[in-house]
Amino acid sequence: MVGGQEQVGVWKAGWIRRGWGEGAPLLRKSFDLDKGVSRATAHVTALGVCELRLNGRKVGEDHLLPGWTDYRKRVYFHSYDVTERLHEGGNVLGGIVAPGWFAGYFGPFGDKGYYGHDAWFSVELVIEYLDGSSASICSDSSWKSVEGPILEADLLMGETYDARKEIDGWDRPGFDDAGWFPVSLLDAHERLPETIESYPGKPVHTVAELPAIGRSEPKPGTYVFNLGQNMVGVARLKIDVPAGTEVVMKHGEMLNPDGTVYTENLRSAKAIDRYIAKGGGEEVWQPRFTFHGFQYVEVSGLPSKPEPDAVTGVAWMSALQETSTFECSNEKVNQLFSNIRWGFRGNYIDVPTDCPQRDERLGWTGDTQMFIRSATYLADIRPFYEKWLVDLHDAQHANGGYPDMAPFMGRLGFASAAWADAGIICPYVLWQAYGATGFIRPWWTQMKKFMELIGSDDNRHNGPDAESYGDWLHFNSETPTRLIGLAYRAYDAQLMAEMAAALDAADDVAHFMNEARRGKALFRDALFEGAEIAVKTQTACALSIAMDLLDGDDLEKAKQGLVQSLEEHNGYLSTGFVGTGYLCPALTKAGRPDLAVQLLLNEEHPSWLYAVNQGATTIWERWNSWTEENGFGDVGMNSFNHYAFGSVCEWMFESLAGIKPGAPGFQTLEVAPCLTDRFDFVKASFDSLQGRVSIHWKKADAGFEIELETPVPATARLPFLTERVPAGRHLFKVLPDDEETCLLNSVAPQAILA
């Protein structure tokens, strides 16, 4: 991909498709070059998803181009340097286009063709010649098209490929396209996106290939391949069968009691791929224009038992640089971290989705803001959110309300507490993680408009008739919707005051500090009845503490209420999507990190390790998505890859390991590990923008030893010691009982490098 924001001025290329038919048609244009080329750049996009081809090969390594946006407002193009792919004489530019998010099924409401009824392809090849002249080859009425081997292609339903219909050489010079048909051109009166611009994010790539670790035959002729990991992407098929054999691949995350693939939780998403063989030897096929969330692939239609390597999982994700490691002495916690990481991978496919397998896969704003701080540790998510913040603000309501999901799909609401607050929290977290006010400044006016809305007397977010999803999927412990809204209202105002200071907007600082005080007072009035807390749910108390909404005796009562609630639940959590991410940080802040550690290590449900004990390889949507007593949970909403409860990852880095930024962008570091004899050791590393931060603490013969490596000055807050240390490697010793901690050794960065 060409680096930076490639500019092409006004989009010149036409939008083309085959005149009729389903599936993913083949589109081609032959052209001749009679002089040397100094540079050639292809700019490609689609209303749908597409693949660009040039002289017999795919251009780039990206999947599902151009990605998902609100196509009514904008669509992105991707740019590729194809200079080395052109040659003098004949050349062929080709394209394949499928419905994708634009014209296919998506969402839980049975929508098909929400943005449009047909998929359209558009490309411009800009050629600069050695003699200084230039030319463009654009998609237009001169292109030709024909039905290809992809008979059906849908993100939710799956892909059908008839290899007998392959057309050898169709995208190479010398091919005779006399029997092909003229393309249809999008009429000028059809509504086009308001904006066509360069893609700002990272496109979807293959990030791993997973060979099957097991193969079973639960019933005659039906074979189930276990990939050992719940993943997102496609399954590659390798077979040698007679021509016309139709192989059906069904995808699922779990197995039924009889060993077949469980698909009832997919709702209307079929997630079935079909391959019709051409025969004559080994055939290898991988779908292009669909994706699934699955661990198991059920294969049927084969005339004989397949080879163990007949199915390989090909995992897709937006191509983000992963930035962290985590390891500890408890293998179940290590598996939990792996589950969190794989849930992140599977749900960061162009937009931050809620789940990747069923008929939903939407950019829910609540899930996004609840997990984003954890995501900043897992990968460099800057380009991903540069793109998604555009989606979010494209979807913002005229009254300032942020939507429940972005890109918006015309349903559900705006300004739902904890969901709409993504418009404030996501820019704030990105600024804190990367030190860039560029995540704030472009949206500041719109962020203030949202704050004006939720500060009004009667609003959906926190007003008397507040409507929201509440503490979604809590475990028998409901927190009033309005109380959650009031907590976020005050918290948002605090964050806005901090961001205003970073923008040198003094008037806004004063305004939002006042709004924060007002919001805290309203929250306190709703939480308390007289001098006592009226709502003692874990979520209510955790929000109070973690968001700094109370002071003095009120704060102490919230701390006591949180501990009391845990005791009432036998030391187990009862929080849902809203409360879970704040629960362990609140306990640590309340001086009870021991209880946070206990929550992490609990193994009955509801707990993180319960799912681990059941063999989970990603985070479940529900604490009881599957239980030994009742089997599968509510099939109407039961994802086994849903990252919201994985928000504990933030606490695992910042408190259990003990590394978090002391200033935006990790210009300084705060080190405060949760030293506990429940672990023999904890090791973590994070590649900040300043360099790698790593910490390793372990139990010693007496007390603990801590090895810290930091690229920036750090403040170590350890038992009985607060020590400011420079960049470098430092070894601390924490002795038991006698209230002594010492800095044993420090090594400057230069010495480390030497």
Side-chain angles (χ1 to χ4, degrees):
M1 187 169 217
V2 178
Q5 287 281 306
E6 186 74 21
Q7 299 299 323
V8 298
V10 176
W11 190 255
K12 301 175 183 176
W15 298 84
I16 62 173
R17 66 174 176 89
R18 187 164 181 247
W20 61 90
E22 301 295 330
L26 309 180
L27 309 162
R28 78 184 302 272
K29 167 72 175 180
S30 59
F31 60 96
D32 292 324
L33 296 178
D34 58 4
K35 49 187 174 181
V37 174
S38 64
R39 185 180 185 224
T41 306
H43 307 288
V44 62
T45 187
L47 300 176
V49 289
C50 70
E51 179 176 299
L52 178 66
R53 303 188 66 83
L54 179 60
N55 290 336
R57 289 188 292 139
K58 178 181 175 180
V59 175
E61 300 177 351
D62 309 326
H63 307 299
L64 304 178
L65 295 179
W68 181 17
T69 54
D70 185 338
Y71 300 95
R72 299 163 299 187
K73 294 192 174 182
R74 77 182 67 243
V75 68
Y76 292 116
F77 63 83
H78 294 249
S79 300
Y80 301 90
D81 186 337
V82 295
T83 308
E84 301 302 318
R85 300 280 293 273
L86 295 177
H87 46 76
E88 290 194 28
N91 294 267
V92 172
L93 196 59
I96 313 173
V97 63
W101 293 279
F102 182 80
Y105 288 96
F106 82 100
F109 306 113
D111 285 295
K112 184 178 189 295
Y114 175 72
Y115 298 104
H117 297 297
D118 300 296
W120 300 88
F121 176 79
S122 190
V123 64
E124 180 181 8
L125 175 62
V126 180
I127 304 171
E128 300 171 28
Y129 295 106
L130 291 173
D131 64 8
S133 61
S134 64
S136 290
I137 297 171
C138 294
S139 46
D140 58 23
S141 59
S142 67
W143 283 54
K144 290 188 174 182
S145 177
V146 75
E147 180 184 26
I150 300 177
L151 306 184
E152 295 177 335
D154 187 88
L155 297 179
L156 298 184
M157 302 306 174
E159 189 167 314
T160 298
Y161 189 95
D162 188 344
R164 299 170 301 178
K165 293 181 176 292
E166 290 178 345
I167 303 173
D168 187 47
W170 73 271
D171 55 358
R172 293 196 295 268
F175 176 80
D176 182 5
D177 62 7
W180 285 39
F181 301 93
V183 296
S184 295
L185 197 64
L186 187 65
D187 292 336
H189 70 270
E190 295 280 355
R191 182 178 177 183
L192 288 171
E194 296 171 5
T195 302
I196 303 172
E197 61 188 2
S198 178
Y199 185 73
K202 289 284 188 179
V204 176
H205 274 202
T206 296
V207 296
E209 294 193 1
L210 306 179
I213 64 169
R215 177 196 56 182
S216 62
E217 189 178 3
K219 56 184 182 180
T222 297
Y223 305 94
V224 173
F225 290 81
N226 179 5
L227 301 175
Q229 173 64 57
N230 195 352
M231 53 154 281
V232 177
V234 295
R236 181 185 300 139
L237 180 68
K238 184 173 72 172
I239 52 173
D240 185 349
V241 295
T245 302
E246 181 173 343
V247 183
V248 178
M249 296 194 295
K250 182 187 296 184
H251 304 75
E253 301 175 292
M254 300 284 279
L255 296 179
N256 291 308
D258 67 357
T260 58
V261 168
Y262 173 73
T263 60
E264 293 198 27
N265 67 322
L266 304 184
R267 301 188 307 213
S268 67
K270 293 180 181 177
I272 293 175
D273 296 330
R274 290 179 168 85
Y275 181 78
I276 304 170
K278 60 185 173 184
E282 183 178 271
E283 301 175 53
V284 179
W285 173 69
Q286 176 179 316
R288 285 180 169 98
F289 300 125
T290 189
F291 70 90
H292 313 294
F294 61 102
Q295 179 173 334
Y296 301 94
V297 183
E298 184 178 296
V299 180
S300 60
L302 293 169
S304 60
K305 188 174 184 177
E307 295 297 321
D309 64 347
V311 171
T312 300
V314 182
W316 291 354
M317 176 192 177
S318 289
L320 304 176
Q321 182 65 43
E322 296 190 345
T323 52
S324 65
T325 63
F326 179 91
E327 182 185 1
C328 69
S329 56
N330 187 309
E331 285 304 316
K332 292 181 180 180
V333 174
N334 291 337
Q335 183 62 52
L336 171 64
F337 179 71
S338 175
N339 293 3
I340 293 168
R341 187 189 293 281
W342 275 97
F344 161 72
R345 288 169 175 164
N347 283 291
Y348 270 50
I349 291 188
D350 201 61
V351 303
T353 55
D354 58 326
C355 61
Q357 71 295 98
R358 68 183 180 219
D359 60 349
E360 196 158 350
R361 313 183 192 187
L362 302 172
W364 284 96
T365 50
D367 306 47
T368 302
Q369 71 88 0
M370 294 159 196
F371 188 77
I372 187 172
R373 194 181 295 270
S374 295
T376 62
Y377 286 103
L378 295 172
D380 182 354
I381 59 173
R382 288 176 295 169
F384 187 85
Y385 277 94
E386 286 171 6
K387 187 264 184 186
W388 188 75
L389 287 177
V390 176
D391 294 332
L392 179 64
H393 288 88
D394 276 352
Q396 189 176 16
H397 195 276
N399 68 4
Y402 287 110
D404 298 340
M405 62 186 71
F408 189 56
M409 59 174 296
R411 285 184 170 86
L412 303 178
F414 294 89
S416 298
W419 273 253
D421 302 280
I424 307 301
I425 292 172
C426 291
Y428 176 85
V429 169
L430 293 164
W431 165 57
Q432 286 289 305
Y434 303 111
T437 57
F439 288 109
I440 305 167
R441 196 178 301 275
W443 316 115
W444 190 241
T445 298
Q446 288 161 272
M447 292 164 71
K448 290 199 295 182
K449 191 169 185 180
F450 171 72
M451 294 302 298
E452 182 180 356
L453 173 68
I454 68 170
S456 61
D457 292 335
D458 185 10
N459 66 81
R460 184 174 184 261
H461 180 275
N462 61 79
D465 299 318
E467 298 177 21
S468 177
Y469 306 99
D471 191 22
W472 189 248
L473 297 184
H474 61 82
F475 208 77
N476 302 319
S477 182
E478 186 169 359
T479 303
T481 295
R482 183 168 186 252
L483 186 69
I484 292 172
L486 289 170
Y488 273 95
R489 171 180 172 170
Y491 184 54
D492 289 347
Q494 293 179 84
L495 304 189
M496 289 291 285
E498 290 184 46
M499 290 185 280
L503 297 177
D504 295 321
D507 290 346
D508 286 339
V509 172
H511 171 73
F512 287 114
M513 288 179 66
N514 184 60
E515 285 297 301
R517 286 190 291 269
R518 181 183 173 206
K520 288 180 181 181
L522 290 169
F523 174 79
R524 196 272 176 202
D525 289 346
L527 181 66
F528 279 77
E529 284 185 2
E532 298 302 322
I533 293 179
V535 184
K536 289 187 179 180
T537 64
Q538 292 175 16
T539 292
C541 294
L543 294 180
S544 304
I545 299 164
M547 291 180 172
D548 293 319
L549 303 179
L550 300 174
D551 300 302
D553 289 343
D554 291 345
L555 176 59
E556 292 306 312
K557 288 174 180 176
K559 293 177 181 178
Q560 294 166 11
L562 181 55
V563 172
Q564 180 183 340
S565 179
L566 285 170
E567 292 172 348
E568 291 172 353
H569 289 84
N570 299 313
Y572 276 72
L573 54 76
S574 60
T575 50
F577 278 24
V578 173
T580 295
Y582 293 101
L583 185 54
C584 288
L587 286 166
T588 302
K589 205 169 186 176
R592 296 302 307 269
D594 57 315
L595 295 179
V597 171
Q598 181 60 55
L599 284 174
L600 184 71
L601 297 178
N602 283 341
E603 297 195 26
E604 300 301 319
H605 88 276
S607 71
W608 289 284
L609 296 190
Y610 179 80
V612 170
N613 287 338
Q614 311 315 312
T617 60
T618 43
I619 300 296
W620 293 352
E621 180 176 21
R622 296 174 175 270
W623 295 116
N624 57 348
S625 282
W626 185 90
T627 63
E628 295 174 287
E629 314 93 88
N630 302 314
F632 292 110
D634 178 9
V635 297
M637 190 179 64
N638 195 23
S639 158
F640 290 90
N641 189 354
H642 222 94
Y643 58 45
F645 288 146
S647 54
V648 71
C649 181
E650 168 196 343
W651 178 85
M652 292 168 69
F653 275 94
E654 296 190 351
S655 294
L656 183 58
I659 52 177
K660 64 179 178 180
F666 280 84
Q667 293 292 333
T668 61
L669 184 68
E670 290 283 330
V671 181
C674 177
L675 304 175
T676 170
D677 61 7
R678 304 292 299 276
F679 292 90
D680 292 333
F681 73 89
V682 171
K683 295 172 65 174
S685 71
F686 170 64
D687 294 328
S688 76
L689 295 188
Q690 315 307 322
R692 172 161 290 193
V693 178
S694 66
I695 191 167
H696 178 193
W697 65 259
K698 61 184 178 181
K699 287 195 289 188
D701 292 337
F704 296 89
E705 291 181 358
I706 305 165
E707 185 176 356
L708 168 71
E709 188 168 337
T710 173
V712 296
T715 300
R717 304 188 188 279
L718 304 172
F720 318 115
L721 175 72
T722 297
E723 182 85 13
R724 178 81 169 171
V725 296
R729 182 180 295 153
H730 310 282
L731 182 63
F732 297 88
K733 179 77 171 181
V734 180
L735 300 177
D737 302 328
D738 58 2
E739 300 189 0
E740 184 177 346
T741 296
C742 60
L743 176 60
L744 294 179
N745 186 33
S746 289
V747 181
Q750 295 84 351
I752 294 174
L753 293 174

